[in-house]
């Protein structure tokens, strides 16, 4: 019987159960083969709903979903029972069911869980063969993802939002609750500071919040056996400490901007979890689960979770069903459609708490397959997303190189296609020579655009282009090769009395329409003293609290220093300042784990806008050449918007692909060019270039080599040639003589 697309997307659990029942011995390989064959078809792949583009209440339980995200935190691996034996209540017949990719045990009708009480201890040891390992990642939507990326990704999706009323009937109550929470979430976050003050005044009363429906529940500490009752929150009631903590956690999930939308998810992976690390961009494809009862279930990554026994029976905890509590002053919370009886905690029993990750806010995804996102630019191809079995043994660096080579060739062919060239007659060996003239035209268009963005400064446009192509490509001893932090000074100011946009605001708005992910950080005394830039470990919650600088590779961070005034940096501000300096100089950052610091490598593109030389060190400093007495944001935006007009959308898309692809060109220096460069460096070393008559320093030589590399890459070349080397020298000489 053929499998229709609705079956494997809307009800993948049935596919998994059928494969297990037919061939449990080769279950994993058969399942992998089935889904990979489906994902090879682009239309089928785009038919899978993406959590980034679809509201959670539009998704049906246990459907197949895609999730484009950054790994923010990881938990220790845990063991789970892969196969469970159940017994028919009538006939006593035993049957094995698959528990992989599931949160709970869904017993077939007429069956119950079978426990082996007859076998010897030796035979019972064989039951450990059913134990498998899985790793959970805490993931968030890609920070600072550009609006054009989201719109293009949503436009490519073939998934049609919404389901029929019949399909929603079973989940009507929890989905409505989720929708209400999603609507009110921003309003609740805005009241956090006020609520925290209220909490400090209510220390005598022990309140907590149901994390599913946000109703207040009150405990009586004097009773040996405590009964949980619930009161509905009125408009005048204040959110208590637990509710505040929930939304503080949400803010920590999205450290760049609390208004960013999207949902954090707990992704449970079963294979290849070691290939992923913190801050990786990944797309997971798996089974979506948002069961409200998980808010009260045992957290497998905590030892102090609420131990309950649910009527649906899970393997990890128990929920005791009680009679409905009659109380004229309180209403029973119906969020889990059950009453809960909690026994007072003794020194010999476990602690009882609710889950730190309520499923209504943090859904679960049981990953079936996944892949690293080499770029979140939706204009690039999908060739590397579904790997063949024989390709999975290839080294990651070799695999990346092959992918970018393929993307580069397709990019050049698309340029030739725009000029009506016959692509069938062009081989890959002569592809670059045939397309070089068109690539140079595209580069000239970019320089003209950047020249307008930078107030007519052609030299600054060249350095901005190189900055957007820069990337750390090698770490050798204490030298970080490829970093290119740019400090543009002489930024025009606006009248402080006006509430108009600054140059940094308008510049960032224009740049965010080109790069796939970016953020503007206002460097001020207040922000430095109050912002959380460094991730830190909260051991009470076993959670990594994210900081603003926990960002994926090749993220564009723009620092606006034009608002910096005189003031005092407190301890937190000094720590934040040192972290920024460390990233700029060494491209690494120390995460705070309380008792020790853990070093993580970074690869961020840092651009500093300042009136004078920045207090932050930079690789390249450049004075902006303009004649503006006062910056006029309206006139500036009017000029810039002409470049991003709908009629020029095709050109803008080529520019977006240009920066995503050319930054990954494999660069090398031939032996003949290496000898020429060495001779020129000796000659340059003997000349005086800068105004104070000092000779070029070692750092200046290193910068010159980086500029030469970026110049070659900007023309699409993988080797440095004499024209690019001469151009690099002229650019650096001009900058060091007149623009520092």
């Amino acid at each position: 019987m053929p499998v229709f697309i609705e079956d494997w997307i809307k009800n993948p659990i049935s596919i998994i159960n059928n494969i297990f029942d037919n061939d449990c011995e080769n279950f994993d390989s058969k399942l992998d083969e089935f889904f990979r064959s489906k994902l090879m078809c682009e239309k089928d792949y785009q038919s899978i709903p993406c959590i980034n583009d679809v509201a959670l209440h539009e998704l049906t339980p246990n459907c197949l979903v895609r999730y484009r995200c950054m790994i923010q935190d990881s938990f220790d691996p845990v063991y789970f029972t892969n196969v469970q034996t159940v017994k028919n209540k009538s006939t006593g017949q035993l049957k094995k069911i698959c528990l992989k990719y599931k949160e709970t045990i869904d017993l077939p009708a007429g069956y119950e869980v079978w426990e082996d009480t007859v076998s010897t201890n030796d035979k019972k040891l064989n039951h450990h063969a059913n134990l498998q390992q899985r790793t959970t990642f805490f993931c968030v939507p890609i920070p600072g993802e550009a609006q054009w990326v989201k719109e293009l990704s949503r436009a490519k999706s073939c998934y049609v939002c919404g389901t029929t009323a019949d399909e929603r009937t079973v989940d009507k109550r929890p989905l409505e609750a989720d929708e209400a929470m999603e609507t009110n979430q921003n309003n609740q976050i805005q009241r956090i500071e006020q609520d925290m003050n209220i909490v400090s005044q209510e220390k005598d009363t022990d309140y907590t919040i149901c994390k599913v429906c946000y109703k207040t529940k009150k405990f009586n500490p004097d009773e040996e056996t405590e009964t949980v009752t619930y009161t509905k929150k009125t408009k005048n009631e204040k959110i208590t400490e637990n509710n505040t903590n929930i939304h503080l956690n949400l803010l920590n999930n999205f450290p760049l901007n609390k208004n960013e939308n999207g949902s954090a998810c707990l992704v449970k992976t079963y294979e290849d979890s070691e290939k992923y690390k913190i801050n990786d961009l990944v797309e997971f494809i798996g089974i979506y689960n948002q069961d409200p009862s998980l808010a009260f279930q045992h957290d497998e990554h905590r030892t102090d979770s609420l131990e309950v026994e649910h009527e649906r029976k899970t393997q990890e905890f128990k929920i005791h069903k009680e009679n409905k509590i009659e109380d004229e002053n309180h209403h029973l919370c119906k969020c889990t459609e059950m009453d809960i009886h909690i026994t007072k905690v003794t020194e010999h029993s476990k602690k009882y708490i609710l889950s730190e990750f309520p499923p209504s806010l943090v859904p679960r995804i049981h990953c079936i397959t996944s892949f690293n996102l080499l770029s979140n630019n939706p204009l690039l191809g999908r060739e590397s997303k579904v790997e063949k079995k024989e390709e999975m043994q290839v080294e990651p660096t070799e695999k990346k190189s092959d992918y970018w080579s393929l993307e580069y060739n397709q990019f050049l062919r698309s340029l030739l296609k725009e000029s009506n060239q016959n692509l069938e007659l062009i081989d890959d060996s002569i592809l670059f020579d045939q397309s070089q003239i068109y690539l140079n035209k595209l580069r000239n268009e970019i320089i003209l655009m950047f020249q307008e963005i930078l107030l007519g400064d052609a030299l600054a446009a060249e350095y901005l282009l190189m900055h957007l192509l820069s990337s750390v490509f090698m770490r050798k001893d204490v030298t970080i090769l490829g970093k290119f932090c740019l400090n543009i000074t002489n930024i025009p100011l606006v009248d402080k009395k006006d509430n108009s946009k600054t140059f940094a605001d308008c510049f960032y708005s224009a740049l965010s329409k080109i790069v796939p992910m970016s953020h503007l950080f206002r460097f001020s005394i207040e922000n430095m003293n109050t912002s959380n830039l460094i991730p830190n470990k909260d051991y009470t919650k076993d959670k990594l609290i994210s900081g603003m600088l926990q960002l994926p590779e090749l993220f564009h961070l723009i620092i606006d220093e034009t608002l910096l005034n005189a003031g005092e940096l407190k301890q937190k501000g000094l720590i934040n300042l040192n972290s920024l300096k460390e990233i700029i100089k060494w491209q690494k950052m120390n995460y705070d784990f309380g008792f020790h610091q853990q070093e993580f490598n970074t690869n961020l593109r840092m651009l500093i806008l300042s009136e004078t030389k920045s207090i932050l060190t930079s690789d390249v400093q450049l004075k902006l050449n303009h004649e503006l007495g006062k910056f006029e944001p309206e006139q500036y935006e009017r000029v810039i918007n002409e470049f991003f007009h709908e009629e020029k959308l095709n050109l803008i898309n080529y520019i977006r692909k240009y920066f995503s692809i050319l930054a990954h060109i494999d660069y090398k220096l031939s032996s003949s060019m290496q000898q020429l460069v060495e001779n020129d460096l000796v000659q340059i070393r003997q000349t005086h270039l800068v105004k104070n008559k000092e000779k070029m320093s070692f750092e200046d030589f290193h910068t010159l080599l980086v500029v030469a590399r970026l110049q070659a890459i900007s023309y699409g070349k993988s080797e440095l040639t004499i024209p690019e080397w001469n151009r690099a020298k002229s650019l650096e000489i001009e900058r060091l003589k007149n623009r520092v």
Side-chain angles (χ1 to χ4, degrees):
M1 181 178 179
V3 179
F4 297 99
I5 190 169
E6 290 81 4
D7 295 333
W8 68 276
I9 292 181
K10 292 187 176 180
N11 191 15
I13 292 294
S14 63
I15 304 296
I16 293 173
N17 291 338
N18 289 337
I19 294 177
F20 181 83
D21 293 339
N22 294 331
D23 191 356
C24 62
E25 296 295 332
N26 302 309
F27 167 70
D28 291 329
S29 60
K30 293 287 186 181
L31 185 70
D32 183 78
E33 180 182 354
F34 174 84
F35 280 102
R36 285 186 180 275
S37 64
K38 293 294 182 183
L39 298 176
M40 290 295 291
C41 175
E42 180 69 19
K43 183 177 180 180
D44 288 350
Y45 168 80
Q46 294 295 347
S47 297
I48 302 174
C50 183
I51 290 183
N52 305 81
D53 308 325
V54 181
L56 295 181
H57 64 270
E58 293 285 350
L59 299 172
T60 57
N62 296 321
C63 68
L64 195 69
V65 294
R66 292 182 288 130
Y67 186 41
R68 189 176 66 255
C69 62
M70 182 190 80
I71 296 178
Q72 191 179 84
D73 194 7
S74 63
F75 299 94
D76 293 330
V78 297
Y79 286 93
F80 72 101
T81 303
N82 181 40
V83 179
Q84 176 67 53
T85 304
V86 295
K87 183 178 70 173
N88 191 303
K89 296 179 182 179
S90 302
T91 64
Q93 180 183 2
L94 299 181
K95 177 183 179 181
K96 291 184 178 181
I97 60 174
C98 177
L99 301 183
K100 198 173 183 180
Y101 310 112
K102 300 176 183 178
E103 291 284 352
T104 59
I105 304 176
D106 294 322
L107 292 175
Y111 281 83
E112 63 181 359
V113 175
W114 177 74
E115 297 182 3
D116 189 359
T117 59
V118 180
S119 301
T120 62
N121 291 333
D122 293 337
K123 292 184 178 180
K124 288 183 178 180
L125 291 176
N126 295 331
H127 293 176
H128 292 297
N130 294 332
L131 292 179
Q132 287 192 2
Q133 195 178 75
R134 68 184 177 195
T135 303
T136 302
F137 294 107
F138 187 88
C139 304
V140 296
I142 297 175
E145 191 171 54
Q147 187 62 32
W148 65 268
V149 174
K150 298 177 181 178
E151 292 175 355
L152 286 177
S153 299
R154 191 180 301 114
K156 292 173 65 175
S157 176
C158 301
Y159 173 75
V160 180
C161 297
T163 55
T164 62
D166 294 337
E167 291 173 329
R168 289 191 186 179
T169 302
V170 178
D171 298 271
K172 184 176 181 180
R173 183 208 49 73
L175 291 178
E176 288 177 350
D178 293 346
E179 186 175 5
M181 281 185 291
E182 183 179 357
T183 304
N184 297 325
Q185 179 176 325
N186 289 335
N187 295 332
Q188 291 173 331
I189 291 176
Q190 294 173 359
R191 297 198 300 267
I192 286 178
E193 294 182 358
Q194 178 184 0
D195 299 335
M196 293 179 68
N197 295 330
I198 300 298
V199 170
S200 62
Q201 302 172 7
E202 298 183 352
K203 293 182 179 179
D204 297 334
T205 306
D206 187 9
Y207 288 101
T208 55
I209 291 293
C210 171
K211 297 188 179 183
V212 177
C213 67
Y214 296 101
K215 298 174 186 175
T216 307
K217 60 182 179 180
K218 184 176 179 180
F219 292 89
N220 185 354
D222 298 329
E223 297 180 2
E224 182 66 20
T225 300
E226 299 179 12
T227 299
V228 183
T229 56
Y230 298 85
T231 58
K232 292 184 177 180
K233 186 177 294 299
T234 63
K235 292 182 179 180
N236 296 327
E237 283 185 296
K238 305 300 181 181
I239 303 175
T240 55
E241 187 172 4
N242 275 18
N243 200 26
T244 303
N245 289 337
I246 293 176
H247 295 293
L248 285 174
N249 289 341
L250 289 176
L251 288 176
N252 290 325
N253 294 338
F254 310 109
L256 292 183
N257 188 346
K258 64 183 180 181
N259 294 322
E260 281 191 334
N261 53 15
S263 175
C265 290
L266 284 176
V267 181
K268 301 187 178 184
T269 61
Y270 296 83
E271 296 178 358
D272 301 327
S273 59
E274 296 180 355
K275 70 178 182 180
Y276 297 127
K277 60 182 186 296
I278 299 296
N279 302 338
D280 274 358
L281 297 184
V282 187
E283 180 157 302
F284 292 102
I285 299 177
I287 298 175
Y288 167 83
N289 192 295
Q290 201 186 21
D291 190 343
S293 64
L294 295 177
F296 295 93
Q297 292 186 3
H298 170 71
D299 190 338
E300 59 193 14
H301 301 285
R302 294 177 62 91
T303 58
D304 56 350
S305 298
L306 174 63
E307 185 175 320
V308 289
E309 183 178 312
H310 195 291
E311 60 179 350
R312 294 172 58 184
K313 292 193 177 180
T314 69
Q315 300 164 281
E316 300 165 355
F317 40 96
K318 301 178 178 180
I319 291 183
H320 301 286
K321 197 146 187 183
E322 293 292 324
N323 294 328
K324 190 169 183 178
I325 300 171
E326 299 294 341
D327 191 326
E328 61 182 3
N329 297 321
H330 301 283
H331 299 282
L332 179 65
C333 175
K334 298 291 185 65
C335 64
T336 59
E337 299 180 358
M338 65 180 67
D339 304 337
I340 302 176
H341 182 79
I342 299 182
T343 304
K344 187 176 181 180
V345 178
T346 65
E347 59 181 0
H348 302 291
S349 63
K350 292 184 177 180
K351 297 179 181 179
Y352 296 90
I353 65 169
L354 295 175
S355 171
E356 284 295 334
F357 309 106
S360 55
L361 299 179
V362 187
R364 278 64 168 164
I365 297 177
H366 289 263
C367 176
I368 292 178
T369 186
S370 59
F371 49 85
N372 281 98
L373 283 175
L374 302 182
S375 172
N376 67 320
N377 188 339
L379 296 171
L380 302 184
R382 198 175 68 88
E383 284 76 10
S384 70
K385 292 188 176 181
V386 183
E387 303 163 345
K388 297 179 181 179
K389 279 291 184 181
E390 57 271 15
E391 296 175 348
M392 296 179 67
Q393 306 301 324
V394 180
E395 290 294 328
T397 54
E398 184 179 348
K399 191 187 304 180
K400 289 182 180 180
S401 178
D402 292 342
Y403 172 76
W404 289 116
S405 296
L406 179 62
E407 283 294 328
Y408 183 50
N409 288 340
Q410 291 180 347
F411 175 65
L412 296 180
R413 288 184 178 276
S414 63
L415 288 176
L416 291 174
K417 188 177 180 179
E418 288 289 328
S419 58
N420 299 320
Q421 294 286 330
N422 189 354
L423 301 180
E424 296 180 356
L425 303 178
I426 301 177
D427 187 70
D428 288 347
S429 59
I430 61 172
L431 181 59
F432 175 75
D433 295 333
Q434 295 291 327
S435 59
Q436 187 173 10
I437 183 173
Y438 305 105
L439 187 61
N440 291 345
K441 287 182 178 180
L442 178 61
R443 187 187 187 279
N444 292 336
E445 291 287 345
I446 297 174
I447 292 296
L448 290 175
M449 176 189 293
F450 285 177
Q451 191 171 341
E452 291 295 332
I453 292 177
L454 293 171
L455 307 177
D457 192 335
L459 182 64
E462 284 283 350
Y463 277 87
L464 178 60
L465 180 144
M466 290 187 289
H467 166 74
L468 295 181
L469 289 173
S470 63
S471 174
V472 175
F473 63 90
M474 183 182 295
R475 299 175 186 269
K476 188 175 182 180
D477 299 329
V478 295
T479 304
I480 311 299
L481 302 178
K483 67 186 184 73
F484 196 76
C485 176
L486 178 61
N487 176 207
I488 300 179
T489 62
N490 195 32
I491 298 298
L493 303 179
V494 296
D495 192 346
K496 295 183 178 180
K497 297 180 181 180
D498 298 336
N499 293 325
S500 57
K501 295 181 180 179
T502 63
F503 174 81
D505 293 326
C506 299
F507 174 84
Y508 171 71
S509 177
L511 197 65
S512 63
K513 297 177 182 178
I514 299 174
V515 299
M517 47 187 177
S518 59
H519 179 66
L520 174 65
F521 176 67
R522 305 188 187 282
F523 191 94
S524 64
I525 297 296
E526 181 182 2
N527 283 345
M528 292 297 289
N529 286 332
T530 58
S531 300
N532 295 320
L533 302 190
I534 308 172
N536 62 89
K537 183 73 172 183
D538 187 344
Y539 287 97
T540 61
K541 299 175 181 177
D542 191 25
K543 179 180 179 181
L544 184 66
I545 307 300
S546 178
M548 193 204 76
L549 295 177
Q550 187 181 2
L551 301 169
E553 287 192 356
L554 302 182
F555 189 95
H556 295 78
L557 183 61
I558 302 173
I559 301 176
D560 178 15
E561 202 178 295
T562 59
L563 302 178
L564 182 63
N565 295 319
E568 180 183 358
L569 284 178
K570 299 179 181 179
Q571 182 180 4
K572 187 173 185 178
L574 291 174
I575 294 175
N576 289 334
L577 178 63
N578 291 332
S579 298
L580 286 172
K581 289 182 176 180
E582 191 172 30
I583 292 177
I584 293 173
K585 187 174 182 179
W586 304 111
Q587 280 293 340
K588 66 180 182 180
M589 181 173 61
N590 290 322
Y591 288 23
D592 184 8
F593 282 83
F595 305 104
H596 70 283
Q597 302 286 323
Q598 181 67 43
E599 182 180 293
F600 285 81
N601 290 333
T602 63
N603 187 6
L604 307 181
R605 293 165 176 161
M606 310 279 282
L607 175 62
I608 307 171
L609 303 177
S610 58
E611 186 178 2
T612 59
K613 183 179 180 179
S614 172
I615 65 172
L616 298 171
T617 57
S618 60
D619 300 308
V620 175
Q621 179 190 344
L622 177 68
K623 182 179 180 181
L624 190 64
N625 187 17
H626 66 87
E627 299 178 355
L628 291 181
K630 180 182 177 182
F631 177 66
E632 299 291 344
E634 294 81 6
Q635 182 180 355
Y636 179 88
E637 288 183 329
R638 194 181 310 113
V639 174
I640 299 303
N641 287 337
E642 293 180 1
F643 287 98
F644 298 97
H645 195 271
E646 188 175 354
E647 297 178 354
K648 297 185 177 181
L649 181 59
N650 189 45
L651 173 62
I652 296 301
N653 285 338
Y654 273 108
I655 294 175
R656 291 164 176 170
K657 290 195 288 185
Y658 172 91
F659 285 110
S660 294
I661 296 173
L662 268 65
H664 295 88
I665 290 180
D666 291 330
Y667 172 81
K668 59 183 179 180
L669 190 63
S670 64
S671 57
S672 58
M673 278 302 303
Q674 185 174 353
Q675 185 63 43
L676 176 64
V677 169
E678 290 176 356
N679 295 335
D680 282 358
L681 289 179
V682 172
Q683 184 178 0
I684 294 174
R685 184 76 177 86
Q686 299 173 354
T687 62
H688 300 281
L689 295 179
V690 292
K691 293 180 179 180
N692 57 6
K693 303 301 181 180
E694 291 182 359
K695 297 179 180 180
M696 289 187 72
S697 64
F698 172 78
E699 289 76 13
D700 294 330
F701 284 129
H702 177 263
T703 302
L704 177 58
L705 293 176
V706 173
V707 169
R709 173 182 177 271
L710 294 174
Q711 278 292 306
I713 289 176
S714 69
Y715 285 96
K717 298 180 180 180
S718 59
E719 290 188 12
L720 181 64
T721 59
I722 294 178
E724 284 73 42
W725 171 243
N726 290 334
R727 182 168 179 79
K729 290 190 296 182
S730 63
L731 289 174
E732 274 297 276
I733 291 174
E734 171 67 18
R735 181 182 71 87
L736 292 173
K737 279 187 174 181
N738 305 315
R739 297 295 192 91
V740 176

